[in-house]
C-alpha cells in the first residue's frame, strides 16, 4: 500500500504511547508482587481509592492474581506496541490485532475500574480515550479504503 494515510500514522503513534504505558504498568505491578508489596500494586491500579483502605496483609492468592494482571498488562502492551509499527505501514491484520488486544483490555478497565470510580482520569481514563481514538482513526481509514485491501 503506497499511500498510507495520516490517520494510520496517528493511530500508530497512539498505540505506541498506549503500549509503552501498559508495558510500564505491567512491570510496576509485577514488581510490587515480586517484592511482596501487594498493597502497592493494588494502590497503583486503583489510584483513586483511599490508599488507607487498600493497606493490609493480602493472602498470597491475591498476590498471584495481581501478578497475573501485571503480566497481562505487560504482554498486551507489547502486542499493541509491536502492532503499532505495522499499523503505520497500513497492515490490515495489525489494525485489527491492536484494536482487539488494546481495545478489549481497555473495555474491561472502563467497565470495572472507570465506572466503579476507582481510578483517576490521568493516566487511566486518558489511556482508554487514547485506545478508543486509535481504534476509530484506523477503522475509519480501513473501512473507507476497504476496496484497496480487498484488491491486495
Amino acid at each position: 500500500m503506497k499511500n498510507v494515510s495520516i490517520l494510520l500514522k496517528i493511530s500508530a503513534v497512539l498505540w505506541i504511547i498506549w503500549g509503552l504505558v501498559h508495558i510500564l504498568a505491567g512491570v510496576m505491578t509485577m514488581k510490587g508482587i515480586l517484592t511482596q508489596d501487594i498493597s502497592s500494586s493494588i494502590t497503583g491500579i486503583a489510584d483513586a481509592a483511599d490508599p488507607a483502605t487498600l493497606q493490609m496483609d493480602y493472602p498470597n492468592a491475591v498476590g498471584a492474581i495481581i501478578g497475573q494482571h501485571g503480566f497481562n498488562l505487560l504482554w498486551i502492551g507489547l502486542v499493541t506496541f509491536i502492532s503499532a509499527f505495522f499499523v503505520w505501514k497500513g497492515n490490515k491484520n495489525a489494525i485489527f490485532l491492536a484494536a482487539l488486544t488494546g481495545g478489549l483490555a481497555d473495555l474491561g478497565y472502563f467497565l470495572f475500574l472507570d465506572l466503579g470510580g476507582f481510578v483517576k482520569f490521568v493516566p487511566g481514563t486518558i489511556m482508554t480515550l487514547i485506545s478508543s481514538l486509535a481504534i476509530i482513526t484506523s477503522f475509519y481509514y480501513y473501512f473507507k479504503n476497504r476496496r484497496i485491501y480487498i484488491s491486495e
Side-chain angles (χ1 to χ4, degrees):
M1 175 175 275
K2 294 176 184 168
N3 184 19
V4 178
S5 169
I6 188 71
L7 293 174
L8 290 181
K9 292 180 179 182
I10 290 169
S11 179
V13 169
L14 293 171
W15 282 129
I16 288 169
I17 293 165
W18 192 94
L20 289 173
V21 167
H22 285 78
I23 291 166
L24 177 64
V27 168
M28 290 173 55
T29 300
M30 288 189 295
K31 179 183 174 240
I33 301 309
L34 295 174
T35 61
Q36 297 296 309
D37 190 5
I38 299 168
S39 293
S40 73
S41 291
I42 293 174
T43 303
I45 295 165
D47 60 355
D50 179 5
T53 64
L54 301 175
Q55 295 297 319
M56 61 184 79
D57 282 331
Y58 290 96
N60 289 337
V62 173
I65 292 166
I66 298 300
Q68 179 201 19
H69 175 67
F71 178 78
N72 286 340
L73 287 172
L74 176 66
W75 77 257
I76 288 166
L78 277 170
V79 167
T80 54
F81 178 78
I82 292 166
S83 294
F85 295 96
F86 293 95
V87 169
W88 182 281
K89 295 178 180 184
N91 183 286
K92 173 183 75 170
N93 294 330
I95 290 169
F96 286 96
L97 180 59
L100 280 170
T101 307
L104 288 175
D106 264 351
L107 177 61
Y109 182 89
F110 176 75
L111 291 173
F112 297 103
L113 292 168
D114 266 326
L115 292 180
F118 298 112
V119 292
K120 295 179 182 172
F121 185 74
V122 176
T125 306
I126 202 81
M127 288 295 111
T128 301
L129 295 174
I130 284 175
S131 71
S132 299
L133 187 56
I135 292 168
I136 290 166
T137 56
S138 62
F139 276 21
Y140 179 80
Y141 177 84
Y142 172 77
F143 288 108
K144 189 150 178 80
N145 296 285
R146 197 167 172 184
R147 68 188 180 287
I148 295 170
Y149 287 99
I150 292 170
S151 66
E152 287 182 347

